[in-house]
Amino acid sequence: ESASKEYSLERTLDKMQKDWTGVVFDRKAWRDTGSFVLNATDEIQILLDDQVVKAMAMKASPYIGPFEDRARQWEKTLLTIQEVLDSWLKCQNGWLYLEPIFGSDDIMQQMPTEGRKFKTVDVQYRKMMEKLKITADVVVVGADEELLNQLQQSNVLLDDVNKGLSE
């Protein structure tokens, strides 16, 4: 019976990983900015939510032994994808709000410090969106720790810009 349960867990893990085949970040052009925004992330979020719960339950199983490292790694991948997605959407929302404001030369002259910070984020954001042309595979892009770091740094800068605007 133990072998049967182990086999079942292995099959579940295989299926979970296979479910991500062909799942990509969709992007759409944003107005006349020359850049893009993530589009329709709901399906990705639903799959992530479901699989994070499954991965945690799987890790708690007494039969996970032979696949424990693989299950742990898959859970880490899923949690990183979740963090990247959350950080990306936060960055995107900040960029969408601030881009029309700092598109004005007047504002850039009145608020040079905030303008420089926004410009840093703007360049970074546009590069991230361009990279999706090369690969938009959610597991590849979403598990990129360097991307997560860039997004987190961009979000700190966006917070600083918003604070500067509200003063």
Side-chain angles (χ1 to χ4, degrees):
E1 179 177 333
S2 167
S4 167
K5 296 209 188 243
E6 286 174 2
Y7 178 74
S8 175
L9 281 173
E10 185 181 27
R11 301 297 310 145
T12 299
L13 192 53
D14 289 344
K15 183 186 178 323
M16 286 169 65
Q17 291 175 323
K18 191 172 183 257
D19 285 348
W20 287 95
T21 303
V23 179
V24 295
F25 284 113
D26 184 31
R27 64 186 197 140
K28 67 176 183 180
W30 183 251
R31 296 192 179 150
D32 59 355
T33 62
S35 192
F36 299 85
V37 292
L38 288 181
N39 187 38
T41 58
D42 292 350
E43 293 298 317
I44 295 168
Q45 189 61 62
I46 289 167
L47 185 56
L48 257 177
D49 290 345
D50 179 55
Q51 288 210 359
V52 166
V53 170
K54 280 182 184 170
M56 288 178 173
M58 187 179 284
K59 244 178 41 183
S61 169
Y63 303 101
I64 195 64
F67 320 105
E68 188 169 1
D69 289 344
R70 186 174 159 213
R72 226 179 266 291
Q73 185 57 47
W74 183 242
E75 180 188 36
K76 181 182 183 292
T77 298
L78 293 171
L79 293 174
T80 303
I81 293 169
Q82 182 65 67
E83 256 191 292
V84 165
L85 182 59
D86 291 347
S87 296
W88 202 319
L89 292 174
K90 180 181 180 191
C91 184
Q92 177 171 291
N93 286 337
W95 182 82
L96 288 171
Y97 173 70
L98 294 169
E99 194 276 333
I101 294 170
F102 286 96
S104 157
D105 288 339
D106 274 358
I107 299 291
M108 290 297 276
Q109 287 174 1
Q110 291 171 27
M111 306 183 83
T113 303
E114 288 80 4
R116 276 191 303 279
K117 288 179 180 180
F118 176 75
K119 194 72 185 154
T120 300
V121 172
D122 185 56
V123 168
Q124 194 67 35
Y125 178 82
R126 290 171 186 268
K127 281 182 186 173
M128 288 185 286
M129 294 311 296
E130 278 300 309
K131 279 185 184 175
L132 288 182
K133 268 204 250 181
I134 299 164
T135 183
D137 184 279
V138 172
V139 174
V140 173
V141 175
D144 184 343
E145 302 264 349
E146 187 179 315
L147 173 63
L148 177 58
N149 190 32
Q150 290 170 348
L151 285 163
Q152 289 169 336
Q153 289 173 357
S154 291
N155 284 329
V156 167
L157 290 174
L158 289 171
D159 288 344
D160 289 349
V161 172
N162 278 313
K163 283 178 194 148
L165 279 176
S166 65
E167 290 174 355

